[in-house]
């Protein structure tokens, strides 16, 4: 009982000290070379895990996610939509 109260007090004090700084620390880390490398590695692993045989078929998780992402980017950046069209079929113009 006493141990739980002590643990709870320590936890609250740590949170009070650490929590205001976490976002700053994470931003600083992800802007560093190590952070950028970690982001690239995790992203590559994540994408490769989606690209299993059968995932490219209609309705696959990877395809749905990719289409959703392209739709969101097309809504916010009209030039992105044109770049996708050019990449998919250079002879097709909207």
């Amino acid at each position: 009982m006493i141990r739980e109260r002590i643990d709870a007090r320590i936890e609250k004090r740590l949170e009070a000290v650490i929590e205001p700084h976490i976002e700053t620390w994470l931003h600083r880390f992800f802007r560093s070379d190590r952070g950028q490398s970690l982001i690239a590695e995790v992203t590559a692993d994540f994408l490769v895990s989606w690209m299993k045989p059968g995932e490219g078929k209609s309705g696959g998780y990877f395809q749905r996610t990719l289409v959703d992402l392209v739709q969101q980017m097309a809504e916010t950046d009209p030039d992105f939509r044109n770049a996708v069209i050019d990449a998919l079929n250079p002879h097709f113009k909207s």
Side-chain angles (χ1 to χ4, degrees):
M1 177 95 164
I2 294 174
R3 181 180 175 136
E4 288 86 15
R5 283 189 284 170
I6 292 173
D7 286 347
R9 289 181 74 187
I10 291 171
E11 183 178 334
K12 284 182 183 178
R13 287 188 180 183
L14 280 174
E15 284 178 5
V17 171
I18 293 174
E19 193 170 346
H21 302 287
I22 288 175
E23 187 173 346
T24 303
W25 294 336
L26 286 174
H27 281 279
R28 190 178 314 142
F29 172 73
F30 286 125
R31 286 188 201 122
S32 72
D33 290 340
R34 285 182 55 211
Q36 294 292 316
S37 177
L38 177 65
I39 290 170
E41 184 179 334
V42 169
T43 303
D45 289 346
F46 192 59
L47 289 174
V48 168
S49 72
W50 277 349
M51 295 178 160
K52 296 179 279 194
E55 280 298 314
K57 293 182 180 172
S58 180
Y61 185 66
F62 177 72
Q63 182 180 0
R64 288 191 314 266
T65 303
L66 183 60
V67 169
D68 287 345
L69 180 62
V70 168
Q71 286 174 338
Q72 288 177 20
M73 292 187 75
E75 290 172 4
T76 59
D77 183 5
D79 292 333
F80 177 78
R81 179 182 178 276
N82 292 332
V84 170
I85 290 171
D86 289 342
L88 293 176
N89 187 348
H91 304 290
F92 176 75
K93 296 291 179 194
S94 57

